[in-house]
Amino acid sequence: LVGVPESPASTATGTSVGANSVQSVREEEMAKPWPATLERGLSLLATPQLGDAQFADAVTKSPRFGYYNAAAGAGGLRQRKGGYYTPEQPSRHSSPDGQPDGQPSLGHHKRWGSGRFQVLTDKALSFKSTMASLRGDGASAEADAGIGQEVGTMAAAKKAQAEQGKSAEDARDYRARILAAQGKGKKKSPAKASRRPQTDEEDLTMSPGHHREQAYDRARESAKQKGGAKPSAPRDATFSQCVFNLANILMGVGLLGLPYIFQSAGWAGGFFIAFFFGGVTWRTSILIGRELNGDPRPGHVFDDNPYKSPIIPGSSAAARMRKPMSTFPDIARESFGDKGCIFLSSVLYFELFSCLAIFFVSLGDHLFTLFPEVSQSKHMCFVAIALTVPTALLRTPRLLSYLSAVGTFATVAVVLSVVASAVAAGDITDSLAERYGRLEDTPHHVLWRTSGLPLALGLIAYAFSGHAIVPSIYSSMKKPQEYEYMVTFTFSIVITCCCLVAVSGYYMFGSFVEDQITISLATAGTAPKLAMDMLTWLMILTAFSKFTLTMFPLALGLEEIVAPYVPTETAMEVASSLIKLILIVLALAVAIFFPSFSFLCSLVGLICTMIVSVIFPAGAHLVLFGDRIPLWE
């Protein structure tokens, strides 16, 4: 429904991405610090794409394997933020003896047809030494070795410096001759202008950045020939589309446990928790938007798009204070450095893993209501086996594209079913007390219960989680100036729907309400059995789809760690399947040992959601704009 941030990763989430463009995006990701795949992985959750298999395939594809020399470690390509070095640019890193040793190779393993070209990273990126390594010129290699032995003297150092300068001049001259030969004669068409280098010597004159640009050009040309759109159409989401996407994220599986909040804390406690935490998360969503905008002032103060503004940040009082950002890791890295980014990302991935266990519990509970002769643990084991097909064994993009839209329909169905049942059946607590033999347990509705406040707070926190996807929605907006209005309008709808479900469920079932309202509806017997069975199967399909979609961003983050050490595409696919299988087994183990939906949701809410959705946005805002915000804020 919406685009994604206009960045190298944006082409991975456009709906008309070609194979070359996806490949370029995967290489761009591996050139960034971990976790570069987080935003791409979450985009399928943020923007449901009904039937768009190409979109689902692009955002779930494994990272580029063997992208940089793993032996480089922390000093590898992904840690270099200064771009790629060309022959005439000296390296910023040098060895103790004055020789440049930090220059990266011209290319990774480039494959064009059956050809393969590689330059080792331990070679200095000079014209002579690189050409000598390609031609196998033994004489040049011996000369370079002799210079290295004499580097201890002043004369040798000066000679090496002169040789380096001459090498740079030779490289420029050689490149100029190549370009002149290419531009000689008739004017080249776009297709010819984006051709691939035909020889290793010609490829030597091109930087990796040039190759990426050529890949993008080829993808655009291919899309035009096939009658498709351009590879990316970012930042064109309307106000209503963004409201829909944000509401779809906030009203997820946590919606099922909202009546249990009132059962735990009572009428007054439930309303207090719901409105208090809803207000807090609304405020932190506003803060995230201002951090992405790069200024503590409201977004509507500025007339231009932050990503297209010609005004230099900090150049005047009317300009933005900082450069705009587009992802959650960007905010974390800018505020708390690389360690802070790694910590926050780890919490996010832990939250995703915990959600897998929660989905297992939900699946087991709902299947148990349909087939009570089989235990919940066995149900979860059967589901785990079924889940290996769309996640670990077969990556089916078309199925994923349809599953991404299931949650939206399920949310509407739950809200309407609970409210309609409450209106039709009313308060049935007395009949339930008689059925369960608990006539002495009165009253069935309480006003305040202090002991249940922590559990209620964790449940409502889990229900309002999803702030990690807010940057994708902000960056996709056609008019980011309307972001704060959009957030306010969306939270008004979400809080209203949450209160409708919570109040209706607690009014109807009272202290007998289950931690998932759909199970209470299925076992109450107040509605037609066929309708309740259909609702239960819908919840099963929803949990199944949520598990499948949540698996991919988590698996991508782990695949990104092992990708540099994987030599081939086949090995990368095997590693990806193994990672997903391990995650399924671990999540199943957690669900079997802690088979309580309310306990797991509350635990995730109190730990992960508090950090990601409350503490981090407020802390980052204070770090970035502490000297520009008023004391009350």
Side-chain angles (χ1 to χ4, degrees):
L1 292 177
V2 299
V4 293
E6 187 175 9
S7 64
S10 63
T11 53
T13 49
T15 57
S16 59
V17 183
N20 291 333
S21 180
V22 174
Q23 184 74 359
S24 300
V25 169
R26 295 166 70 201
E27 294 185 358
E28 285 284 349
E29 287 176 341
M30 295 305 295
K32 296 179 180 179
W34 185 84
T37 58
L38 177 63
E39 205 70 15
R40 172 163 68 92
L42 293 176
S43 60
L44 194 61
L45 294 171
T47 58
Q49 300 286 341
L50 183 62
D52 193 344
Q54 195 172 18
F55 172 85
D57 179 68
V59 299
T60 58
K61 206 170 187 65
S62 297
R64 179 74 166 91
F65 67 93
Y67 185 74
Y68 72 103
N69 186 6
L77 179 61
R78 296 178 61 186
Q79 300 298 326
R80 294 193 176 95
K81 301 179 180 179
Y84 293 88
Y85 297 108
T86 52
E88 67 270 21
Q89 291 177 316
S91 170
R92 293 176 297 172
H93 308 282
S94 60
S95 59
D97 57 4
Q99 291 299 319
D101 64 353
Q103 293 169 326
S105 65
L106 266 178
H108 332 293
H109 295 294
K110 304 280 185 180
R111 287 181 175 84
W112 296 322
S114 61
R116 181 171 179 176
F117 170 57
Q118 178 184 8
V119 180
L120 297 178
T121 56
D122 57 353
K123 298 282 187 181
L125 191 57
S126 64
F127 176 78
K128 284 187 175 181
S129 62
T130 310
M131 291 299 294
S133 64
L134 290 173
R135 295 174 177 174
D137 190 343
S140 297
E142 292 178 2
D144 290 342
I147 294 176
Q149 294 174 357
E150 299 173 4
V151 91
T153 64
M154 184 68 69
K158 291 182 179 180
K159 182 179 179 181
Q161 185 177 4
E163 285 289 336
Q164 184 180 4
K166 190 173 186 309
S167 297
E169 292 180 4
D170 291 343
R172 286 195 295 268
D173 293 342
Y174 184 77
R175 186 161 56 249
R177 289 196 299 271
I178 292 293
L179 295 176
Q182 291 178 350
K184 191 174 182 180
K186 61 181 181 180
K187 185 177 180 180
K188 295 186 178 295
S189 64
K192 291 183 179 180
S194 62
R195 68 177 180 86
R196 296 168 179 170
Q198 300 297 321
T199 65
D200 288 347
E201 291 186 1
E202 183 178 350
D203 174 72
L204 185 63
T205 66
M206 307 297 182
S207 69
H210 171 82
H211 296 310
R212 290 197 306 276
E213 293 175 2
Q214 296 298 303
Y216 285 126
D217 291 341
R218 288 193 298 271
R220 294 189 186 97
E221 194 65 28
S222 175
K224 289 180 181 179
Q225 293 175 358
K226 295 179 181 179
K230 293 182 179 180
S232 61
R235 304 194 179 100
D236 57 356
T238 63
F239 184 92
S240 58
Q241 288 173 336
C242 293
V243 168
F244 174 83
N245 285 320
L246 183 57
N248 185 49
I249 291 299
L250 293 175
M251 291 191 295
V253 177
L255 190 70
L256 303 179
L258 292 178
Y260 202 72
I261 294 174
F262 283 76
Q263 192 270 353
S264 301
W267 284 114
F271 277 115
F272 170 74
I273 289 292
F275 284 105
F276 171 76
F277 200 82
V280 170
T281 51
W282 164 79
R283 180 60 183 173
T284 54
S285 298
I286 296 293
L287 296 183
I288 291 175
R290 296 183 182 182
E291 292 157 12
L292 295 169
N293 188 46
D295 197 274
R297 291 170 288 183
H300 59 78
V301 172
F302 305 92
D303 297 329
D304 54 352
N305 190 308
Y307 302 103
K308 301 178 181 179
S309 175
I311 304 176
I312 301 175
S315 60
S316 64
R320 292 174 176 83
M321 181 178 172
R322 290 176 171 271
K323 182 180 178 181
M325 293 171 280
S326 59
T327 67
F328 225 58
D330 287 345
I331 299 176
R333 192 172 291 109
E334 185 72 16
S335 304
F336 305 108
D338 290 336
K339 293 183 179 179
C341 179
I342 292 175
F343 172 77
L344 180 71
S345 302
S346 300
V347 174
L348 279 171
Y349 284 124
F350 177 75
E351 181 178 11
L352 292 175
F353 174 78
S354 302
C355 289
L356 299 183
I358 291 172
F359 296 143
F360 265 132
V361 173
S362 180
L363 285 165
D365 291 343
H366 284 91
L367 285 171
F368 183 74
T369 61
L370 296 174
F371 309 102
E373 63 276 5
V374 181
S375 66
Q376 293 168 298
S377 299
K378 290 184 178 179
H379 279 305
M380 288 189 282
C381 292
F382 294 150
V383 169
I385 296 174
L387 282 167
T388 59
V389 176
T391 56
L393 300 181
L394 296 175
R395 190 172 60 88
T396 51
R398 186 164 297 279
L399 174 62
L400 293 175
S401 66
Y402 284 106
L403 290 179
S404 66
V406 170
T408 304
F409 180 70
T411 299
V412 177
V414 168
V415 174
L416 294 179
S417 299
V418 175
V419 174
S421 298
V423 172
D427 184 0
I428 62 172
T429 54
D430 291 337
S431 62
L432 291 175
E434 184 177 355
R435 178 193 302 182
Y436 298 129
R438 294 167 54 184
L439 296 174
E440 70 282 358
D441 294 349
T442 55
H444 304 303
H445 299 88
V446 298
L447 182 63
W448 181 274
R449 183 179 287 123
T450 305
S451 60
L453 288 178
L455 179 63
L457 180 61
L459 288 172
I460 196 67
Y462 180 77
F464 280 98
S465 62
H467 284 55
I469 305 178
V470 167
S472 295
I473 297 176
Y474 176 88
S475 303
S476 69
M477 294 189 70
K478 187 175 183 180
K479 297 180 179 179
Q481 300 91 332
E482 299 177 348
Y483 169 78
E484 296 188 12
Y485 299 125
M486 183 272 296
V487 168
T488 303
F489 182 72
T490 304
F491 267 80
S492 301
I493 296 176
V494 170
I495 292 177
T496 301
C497 292
C498 289
C499 287
L500 283 174
V501 173
V503 171
S504 299
Y506 185 56
Y507 168 73
M508 187 176 180
F509 297 100
S511 58
F512 300 99
V513 69
E514 300 285 347
D515 55 5
Q516 299 177 76
I517 185 60
T518 48
I519 296 179
S520 296
L521 291 174
T523 57
T526 57
K529 186 177 185 304
L530 178 60
M532 290 299 98
D533 287 347
M534 291 178 60
L535 180 63
T536 303
W537 278 111
L538 179 60
M539 292 301 102
I540 293 172
L541 180 60
T542 300
F544 189 92
S545 64
K546 291 288 186 181
F547 185 100
T548 305
L549 298 176
T550 306
M551 169 67 74
F552 281 97
L554 175 59
L556 284 174
L558 298 177
E559 292 171 23
E560 187 180 344
I561 297 175
V562 303
Y565 306 92
V566 179
T568 63
E569 187 74 33
T570 302
M572 190 67 234
E573 293 178 359
V574 173
S576 175
S577 298
L578 288 176
I579 288 173
K580 294 184 179 74
L581 286 173
I582 293 173
L583 290 174
I584 290 175
V585 172
L586 292 177
L588 176 62
V590 173
I592 291 176
F593 282 104
F594 302 98
S596 172
F597 181 85
S598 58
F599 172 77
L600 289 176
C601 289
S602 182
L603 185 65
V604 174
L606 289 174
I607 298 176
C608 300
T609 305
M610 284 294 181
I611 294 175
V612 175
S613 301
V614 179
I615 298 174
F616 166 72
H621 193 75
L622 186 63
V623 171
L624 294 174
F625 312 118
D627 56 344
R628 295 280 296 272
I629 58 177
L631 182 61
W632 68 267
E633 187 174 356

